[in-house]
Amino acid sequence: MALTGVEIFKLLPKTNCKKCGQPTCLAFAMKLAQRQASIDQCPDVSEEAKQKLGEASAPPIRPITLGTGARAVKIGEETVLFRHEKKFVNPCAISVKISDNLSQADAGKVIAGIMESEIDRVGQKLRVDAAFLSNDSGDASKLAALASLVASKAPELPVIISTTSPDAAEAALKPFAGKNAVLYGANKDNLEAMAQKAKDAKAALAIAASSLDEAAELTEKAKAIVPDLIMDSGARKAGEMLRDNTYVRRAAIKKGFKPLGYPVINFVGRGDSMLETVVAVLSVTKYASIIVLDHLEKWQSLALFSLRQNIYTDPQVPMQVQQNIYKVGDPGPKAPFLITTNFSLTYFIVSGEVENSKVPCRLAVLDSEGLSVLTAWAAGKFTASKIAQFIKESGIEAEIENKELIIPGYVAILSGAIEDKLEGWKITVGPREANGLPAFLKSRA
Amino acid sequence: MSFAPPKETWSGKTFEITIGNGAKAVKIGGENVFSFHGFEGNYPNRPVIAYEVQDIPPDDWPQMVKDVYAGVSADPVTWAKHCVEKLGAKAIALRLAGTHPDKGDISADQAAETVKKVSSAVDVPLIILGSNHAEKDSVVLVKAAEAAKGTNALLGKAQEANYKTIVAAALANDLKLIAMSELDINLSKQLNILITQMGFDKERLVTDPMSSALSYGLEYTYSVMERIKLAALAQNDAVLQGPMLADVGMYVWKVKETQALEADLPQWGNLKDRGVAWEAVTTTSLLVAGTNLAIMRHPDAVAAVEKFIAEMEG
């Protein structure tokens, strides 16, 4: 179990040398307790203390990295059951199944679809994280052929190799040696051989159990050979996944039960892609670290990426949009010019309503540290001088003919002060709520 | 190694509320565990999905949802009957959208007529919703409540600005009541206290912590719901033990993702499935967070959510 700051302090050299970057050993100990520092930052700590701390500070759910380079994704390391307590740490990896029964051409299409899945949302790049190569044929050579196709077409893409045959595993893992692949399919019959193959290829091993009891047994046996483990409890129906995922998360975090302290993989594939999507909702919200989809539909990825982004957002830090002047539609030099704050929700709703109005506009988004209009105004982040400075420095004056700025109705009180600071500009008070924008903009058009 | 599942049982439990009368009345709430956690406690009632019907044609709904109700949506009675008889709706949420001053300003008396007609035309429970104009709702919902007397309908939404008259109307006509606050557990608690101080039984109250659409603040609704459920179960906070409502359709079907054409945004995929997925994913995640009753618009999205609920139970 995790040590407290004071317990950690007792293991430190207590020299207050500041080499770790903290003013005192006690301050460093507190940072360690909050997992905001690493023991390696202390050059003088004893080996014995290091080992003790290492064991105690190991996260309750083991961190595992899939892939290497720019597309590498880290999973696991979660610390809470509810996102309002503390930010969920590592977003679940979304993977898509590719069967080795597919022709090279069809498999190539799925690989291309995965590589093209990237979408930019609120400044984050969201995409399918990994390919799940499934040995449906039972033929080792077909799996190996699929593996080399993926390795040649998408060398950066993290992969999960799925087979129950150690020989097939060895051949398929070959192109991914040292690339942090995952080998899925270690069960009670093949555990040691599979663990050895994973170890040889420096891959993580995913356990395919038929119950949580068995999963705990298998991880205890496998960890001596491969430390990086992932678990499938055998749950397939949504209700079973909720039960098992919940028990795993509680056992690891609340009970410190090490045999289940590993990331969980869920299989949500369904013939019906819409049902598959809603079942995946359960896995995203309730504790899966890897989700295997059968389908790769663009609308499906968009919905699941968005949900993952929502769930893994830090509840204490509002999502923010970059300060800028955004164009909605194709605004001419006389188009209306509005301003709002950079809280992502404010931006989304305002830009959505402007779009609904079908009136092309320019929308200035002022950096208000992620606060909404009224809150930002109350906190002094959305003031006349900040607005005036932003407008002046943006260079917008050269782009437009009408020097008129529409401000949110909630800050009508600012209009005089902005007019004083922005010479030659007319300030117009817009509606209080964004849903008043379509009527407001249409009435001016 | 034997593994003892770390079950969590709670001292608190949510109130079980019945809406409607007769064979088709629905029960929501009554659980002493989180949503779908029947594996460790008592989860007696599956969540209920209600179809949204409006008193006026849905002119501001996206085309793909309007199309689904083409031919029936001109008249609320025909529309409601279609949802029950053709789509298998278990409850109808009648939104008196046309009473909004900007949407036709239909009078309270006329709205009450609509309520009367719809409630006598269908045998499933009714949820009666105002137009979300605080001032007008306080007039409209009073008349609507009189028209619904004896139906055991769910009336809403009472908000901080207008709860007094609406609570009085629900009391006088023996209806269940929705209390809505904006995305804050403390505001929900405060409003529920004010309402119960008027003599309204907390066991007849449904809490709406305000919905939001996927990608448009969903995480706020999601976490407020989890916190309310946790307060109800772990802290045994009676004021927050009412079942929860998610009024999803009205938030989902106005965001860009449910309207933009594939031709304009090819990387978003086809609009039909995207729109349905947006409503289904939003609702599903809120069911997981603790929703007992959800209001939706598109039949395909309802179907997907119903299949999900069946998988959670089976």
Side-chain angles (χ1 to χ4, degrees):
Chain A
M1 291 303 273
L3 297 178
T4 65
V6 174
E7 286 166 336
I8 295 172
F9 175 65
K10 289 179 185 158
L11 299 168
L12 296 177
K14 305 192 194 72
T15 51
N16 295 340
C17 69
K18 302 186 176 64
K19 287 179 205 161
C20 61
Q22 297 300 322
T24 62
C25 289
L26 184 61
F28 181 54
M30 292 302 167
K31 288 274 171 196
L32 284 172
Q34 291 162 16
R35 299 211 169 95
Q36 289 170 354
S38 151
I39 187 64
D40 301 330
Q41 289 166 277
C42 175
D44 304 321
V45 73
S46 71
E47 276 309 311
E48 187 204 343
K50 223 177 196 174
Q51 197 189 341
K52 266 193 194 165
L53 277 170
E55 274 168 27
S57 67
I61 296 174
R62 189 177 174 86
I64 291 174
T65 300
L66 313 186
T68 51
R71 291 189 75 107
V73 285
K74 198 174 182 194
I75 56 168
E77 239 177 350
E78 298 301 332
T79 59
V80 294
L81 280 131
F82 297 104
R83 63 176 295 281
H84 64 256
E85 298 172 59
K86 206 172 169 197
K87 181 181 185 293
F88 282 3
V89 183
N90 291 312
C92 50
I94 293 177
S95 71
V96 173
K97 181 179 151 175
I98 311 177
S99 170
D100 67 353
N101 275 329
L102 292 181
S103 68
Q104 292 257 317
D106 286 345
K109 275 184 209 153
V110 184
I111 298 165
I114 292 174
M115 297 311 283
E116 287 160 10
S117 65
E118 187 165 290
I119 294 167
D120 196 337
R121 268 184 101 76
V122 207
Q124 291 184 12
K125 300 239 184 280
L126 309 175
R127 62 189 165 213
V128 173
D129 302 287
F132 184 91
L133 316 187
S134 184
N135 191 198
D136 297 341
S137 68
D139 178 341
S141 65
K142 281 194 173 171
L143 185 65
L146 177 61
S148 49
L149 181 72
V150 172
S152 69
K153 289 213 165 194
E156 296 264 270
L157 182 66
V159 295
I160 304 157
I161 305 283
S162 168
T163 180
T164 49
S165 150
D167 290 338
E170 182 181 338
L173 281 168
K174 210 163 262 167
F176 306 106
K179 282 187 167 179
N180 290 339
V182 177
L183 173 60
Y184 169 84
N187 55 36
K188 58 184 190 313
D189 302 320
N190 66 11
L191 185 76
E192 275 169 30
M194 291 285 275
Q196 197 58 50
K197 299 297 179 197
K199 185 187 178 191
D200 294 345
K202 293 196 171 67
L205 182 70
I207 302 285
S210 54
S211 68
L212 286 178
D213 238 6
E214 193 184 71
E217 241 171 72
L218 295 177
T219 58
E220 282 298 277
K221 283 187 192 153
K223 75 172 187 192
I225 307 171
V226 205
D228 285 341
L229 299 170
I230 294 163
M231 304 179 300
D232 162 24
S233 70
R236 288 296 178 274
K237 283 198 167 169
E240 297 167 355
M241 293 195 293
L242 174 67
R243 180 196 63 204
D244 287 1
N245 293 1
T246 304
Y247 283 158
V248 165
R249 179 69 70 96
R250 280 187 199 151
I253 286 169
K254 294 185 139 180
K255 312 273 179 198
F257 186 70
K258 291 284 176 197
L260 293 182
Y262 300 99
V264 167
I265 183 169
N266 277 173
F267 294 84
V268 300
R270 299 290 184 275
D272 168 356
S273 57
M274 194 60 72
L275 178 60
E276 176 173 309
T277 307
V278 291
V279 172
V281 169
L282 191 267
S283 298
V284 172
T285 52
K286 291 294 163 188
Y287 317 141
S289 286
I290 300 179
I291 298 171
V292 184
L293 300 171
D294 280 0
H295 292 83
L296 175 60
E297 309 280 0
K298 286 177 177 164
W299 54 265
Q300 181 187 27
S301 318
L302 182 72
L304 291 177
F305 294 164
S306 301
L307 178 68
R308 180 177 61 176
Q309 188 177 43
N310 282 171
I311 296 297
Y312 280 85
T313 301
D314 188 337
Q316 270 134 27
V317 182
M319 296 275 288
Q320 301 181 25
V321 178
Q322 215 182 350
Q323 171 165 314
N324 206 345
I325 294 177
Y326 296 87
K327 289 181 179 175
V328 184
D330 186 16
K334 288 183 180 164
F337 178 44
L338 306 91
I339 188 162
T340 191
T341 68
N342 79 330
F343 177 34
S344 69
L345 216 53
T346 302
Y347 166 76
F348 271 139
I349 292 170
V350 170
S351 65
E353 293 292 357
V354 170
E355 218 156 299
N356 283 346
S357 76
K358 311 263 190 259
V359 179
C361 291
R362 285 184 183 78
L363 177 61
V365 174
L366 177 78
D367 182 357
S368 60
E369 294 169 29
L371 299 177
S372 62
V373 170
L374 258 188
T375 330
W377 171 74
K381 314 282 183 202
F382 195 63
T383 61
S385 40
K386 283 193 169 209
I387 292 171
Q389 190 190 355
F390 171 39
I391 300 299
K392 277 185 201 152
E393 289 172 3
S394 68
I396 189 72
E397 290 185 328
E399 245 183 78
I400 56 176
E401 278 176 26
N402 296 347
K403 289 188 181 173
E404 182 192 13
L405 178 66
I406 300 164
I407 63 171
Y410 275 119
V411 290
I413 193 169
L414 289 179
S415 65
I418 302 174
E419 262 174 11
D420 287 347
K421 293 191 162 69
L422 268 182
E423 213 172 305
W425 280 74
K426 181 185 170 202
I427 307 302
T428 300
V429 177
R432 289 161 76 93
E433 300 286 346
N435 63 16
L437 278 170
F440 174 81
L441 291 169
K442 277 181 208 159
S443 73
R444 295 165 41 97
Chain B
M1 167 135 347
S2 107
F3 167 67
K7 297 192 179 190
E8 282 182 356
T9 47
W10 312 94
S11 53
K13 118 185 205 315
T14 64
F15 298 118
E16 183 176 78
I17 291 188
T18 304
I19 308 167
N21 292 322
K24 297 220 174 148
V26 297
K27 283 183 180 168
I28 53 172
E31 67 271 7
N32 67 356
V33 286
F34 273 88
S35 292
F36 305 114
H37 283 51
F39 51 83
E40 60 184 357
N42 196 18
Y43 187 67
N45 298 305
R46 57 150 53 192
V48 171
I49 311 296
Y51 273 88
E52 179 174 344
V53 167
Q54 291 194 353
D55 61 338
I56 50 168
D59 293 331
D60 56 351
W61 292 16
Q63 196 59 42
M64 64 173 279
V65 204
K66 273 195 269 188
D67 287 348
V68 176
Y69 300 108
V72 298
S73 60
D75 168 53
V77 170
T78 319
W79 187 354
K81 283 177 81 115
H82 172 80
C83 290
V84 175
E85 289 160 15
K86 296 282 177 348
L87 304 174
K90 296 189 178 100
I92 294 291
L94 173 62
R95 195 183 305 279
L96 301 166
T99 61
H100 195 285
D102 297 344
K103 290 253 185 79
D105 208 10
I106 290 171
S107 73
D109 287 323
Q110 205 182 327
E113 267 312 298
T114 305
V115 169
K116 207 165 241 166
K117 278 191 216 153
V118 172
S119 74
S120 57
V122 296
D123 54 357
V124 301
L126 206 58
I127 302 158
I128 302 162
L129 302 169
S131 65
N132 215 13
H133 185 279
E135 210 176 307
K136 187 74 188 282
D137 278 1
S138 69
V139 184
V140 169
L141 291 177
V142 169
K143 293 281 182 185
E146 287 167 11
K149 191 179 175 79
T151 62
N152 198 22
L154 176 61
L155 183 73
K157 302 167 182 176
Q159 306 183 45
E160 197 196 347
N162 63 8
Y163 72 93
K164 284 186 181 156
T165 52
I166 299 171
V167 171
L171 261 176
N173 298 289
D174 215 15
L175 303 178
K176 304 291 169 25
L177 181 68
I178 303 164
M180 186 185 99
S181 309
E182 295 188 354
L183 291 174
D184 183 327
I185 182 172
N186 295 313
L187 291 180
S188 283
K189 185 165 175 166
Q190 184 185 316
L191 180 60
N192 289 0
I193 290 172
L194 291 172
I195 289 173
T196 48
Q197 279 172 349
M198 285 182 67
F200 196 88
D201 186 353
K202 59 185 180 301
E203 299 187 25
R204 303 169 57 84
L205 198 56
V206 171
T207 301
D208 177 2
M210 194 162 135
S211 284
S212 35
L214 174 60
S215 226
Y216 293 82
L218 178 66
E219 70 271 31
Y220 294 89
T221 304
Y222 181 90
S223 281
V224 171
M225 282 189 161
E226 284 200 331
R227 291 183 64 192
I228 289 177
K229 200 65 100 182
L230 204 56
L233 300 178
Q235 289 148 33
N236 208 355
D237 186 341
V239 181
L240 293 172
Q241 282 172 336
M244 279 191 283
L245 170 83
D247 192 357
V248 174
M250 64 178 282
Y251 292 95
V252 163
W253 293 104
K254 66 175 189 188
V255 306
K256 191 173 174 184
E257 285 74 3
T258 59
Q259 326 233 3
L261 298 173
E262 189 177 9
D264 297 329
L265 285 162
Q267 73 275 25
W268 281 10
N270 85 74
L271 173 59
K272 163 106 202 310
D273 288 326
R274 189 194 327 132
V276 169
W278 224 255
E279 187 172 36
V281 167
T282 303
T283 306
T284 306
S285 58
L286 295 179
L287 292 185
V288 171
T291 296
N292 302 90
L293 173 64
I295 299 171
M296 299 178 67
R297 289 182 178 172
H298 201 292
D300 293 352
V302 175
V305 173
E306 290 285 5
K307 278 187 206 163
F308 174 81
I309 295 171
E311 240 201 80
M312 293 304 286
E313 291 180 321

